[in-house]
Amino acid sequence: MLKWSALFLVFAMIAGILGFFGIVVSLAATIAKILFVLFLVLFVISLFTGRRRAS
């Protein structure tokens, strides 16, 4: 799950860079927002459901 959230973070960063520098502005910025939120959700889920150490 953490791999997926890292992958979505990379995609969000690429889309954000494209959006902030004026290349396909509206579409890239929208994709960046969606992917960043998706990254945050997957990251929080992976924190709670990640591997736990046995005591």
Side-chain angles (χ1 to χ4, degrees):
M1 183 71 74
L2 189 58
K3 291 179 185 179
W4 280 102
S5 61
L7 181 69
F8 282 118
L9 175 65
V10 170
F11 286 145
M13 296 298 264
I14 292 171
I17 289 170
L18 292 175
F20 292 131
F21 290 122
I23 306 169
V24 192
V25 175
S26 63
L27 180 63
T30 304
I31 291 172
K33 289 176 187 177
I34 292 170
L35 289 178
F36 187 71
V37 169
L38 190 58
F39 157 74
L40 288 177
V41 169
L42 289 175
F43 180 71
V44 169
I45 290 172
S46 67
L47 284 178
F48 289 114
T49 63
R51 298 181 188 177
R52 302 185 190 271
R53 293 184 186 182
S55 300

